[in-house]
Amino acid sequence: MVARSHQGSHAFVSFVDIRVDSFFEKSMAGPRNPPAENDFRCIHAVVLDVVGAACRLPRIPRNRHLFFPAFFLGADCDATAAAGSICGGFPYRDVATFDLLRTVFFRLPYGVAIVMVWKLVECYRQHGATFNAERAQKLKVALGTLLIGPVLLVNVVLKEHWGRPRPIQTDIFGGALHFAEAGSLAGKCVSNCSFISGEAASAGWLFCLLLFVPKSLRYALAPPVVAISILTPAMRLSFGAHYLSDVVLGWLSSLVVFAALLALTESQQHQKNSEI
């Protein structure tokens, strides 16, 4: 996949939402170009060296101006490209291993949710002394968090109405739309936009479930769950699908909703117990 890039540039460009115009210029192999309209440039540190080595993925060379390899790889533009255009792409988008992992991680939270719905139904089939109220409450908090957070708040409200273009859609990475800051309503994306990341929110939800896992299993399940919870948003960055602010806020949104629902249910339970 080819994106537009500064002529003669071989720089790796990444995307944290901070002003780094002077650093960006020093990191370019080509001549100085006029700053973008809002003067924003994006950089980030990458954890994919470890992942790439583990998965035997093709290694992307480091640029001598940057300390870390970045997700966007600049390239020379051909003769038909307009002056000042940006060429290059997000090479990890074309790695089959990453694509497979992304598909698995995308579906995993909803597979877990289906199992939890089944367990909740089993709980309510029990009556009297056999009914496990504590287990039912935990399942309802977990499922309620997924419904309110990743599904409704993130995918239905924010991603559909906030309008922030994804990195790959913006003109600084070869797209047609202007960059929009995190939280800004000035973006021109129409649907399924960048702010915030739904997959990062689902990954944060998986992390929250560790609190409900029995201690006997928690130490065994924690490493893979934490790894998936981190790798999921990292891959969204590597594909040019989200900015760092999108995945961080998406991940944290699930923790906030989870904590709020847990506090609410515990408060209600405490009130009921005090009335008895």
Side-chain angles (χ1 to χ4, degrees):
M1 180 166 175
V2 176
R4 302 186 316 173
S5 173
H6 287 291
Q7 194 168 6
S9 168
H10 295 279
F12 290 94
V13 185
S14 52
F15 34 88
V16 176
D17 310 322
I18 55 177
R19 290 180 179 271
V20 289
D21 199 49
S22 60
F23 181 85
F24 183 85
E25 291 169 4
K26 293 178 183 178
S27 300
M28 302 297 290
R32 177 187 173 95
N33 290 284
E37 178 180 333
N38 52 21
D39 239 9
F40 273 90
R41 295 295 185 266
C42 313
I43 60 171
H44 66 81
V46 180
V47 296
L48 292 183
D49 271 346
V50 176
V51 180
C55 299
R56 297 183 179 179
L57 301 176
R59 185 178 181 83
I60 298 178
R62 293 176 182 269
N63 182 276
R64 62 187 178 91
H65 296 290
L66 299 180
F67 293 107
F68 302 95
F71 296 138
F72 181 85
L73 177 60
D76 290 328
C77 297
D78 57 32
T80 61
S85 60
I86 296 185
C87 301
F90 293 90
Y92 286 110
R93 292 178 67 90
D94 301 321
V95 178
T97 305
F98 266 21
D99 188 55
L100 176 61
L101 284 175
R102 186 253 169 166
T103 301
V104 172
F105 293 167
F106 173 76
R107 295 177 179 176
L108 179 61
Y110 300 100
V112 172
I114 291 173
V115 174
M116 296 179 78
V117 169
W118 172 50
K119 292 294 184 181
L120 183 61
V121 171
E122 279 192 339
C123 278
Y124 279 98
R125 284 179 177 173
Q126 306 298 321
H127 303 282
T130 60
F131 176 68
N132 192 332
E134 182 181 356
R135 186 180 189 185
Q137 177 179 307
K138 290 180 178 180
L139 289 170
K140 287 187 289 186
V141 168
L143 292 169
T145 299
L146 181 66
L147 179 62
I148 295 173
V151 175
L152 295 178
L153 176 63
V154 177
N155 285 299
V156 175
V157 177
L158 295 178
K159 291 175 66 68
E160 291 299 319
H161 298 93
W162 226 256
R164 189 186 200 191
R166 297 177 183 273
I168 202 168
Q169 295 176 313
T170 59
D171 48 10
I172 58 175
F173 295 109
L177 303 177
H178 291 302
F179 170 81
E181 301 174 36
S184 171
L185 293 172
K188 301 301 181 183
C189 174
V190 176
S191 179
N192 193 25
C193 304
S194 188
F195 187 80
I196 52 182
S197 172
E199 290 178 46
S202 297
W205 177 75
L206 281 177
F207 180 81
C208 292
L209 298 184
L210 287 174
L211 184 63
F212 292 157
V213 174
K215 290 183 179 180
S216 59
L217 297 175
R218 190 174 300 165
Y219 292 108
L221 291 178
V225 170
V226 170
I228 292 171
S229 183
I230 294 174
L231 288 176
T232 298
M235 284 192 294
R236 301 309 286 152
L237 289 174
S238 73
F239 289 178
H242 288 287
Y243 295 94
L244 182 62
S245 56
D246 299 326
V247 298
V248 170
L249 292 174
W251 198 90
L252 291 176
S253 68
S254 290
L255 270 67
V256 171
V257 175
F258 178 81
L261 283 181
L262 186 60
L264 178 62
T265 55
E266 289 183 350
S267 175
Q268 291 175 341
Q269 185 64 38
H270 179 72
Q271 184 178 357
K272 289 180 180 179
N273 292 339
S274 62
E275 292 174 354
I276 296 176

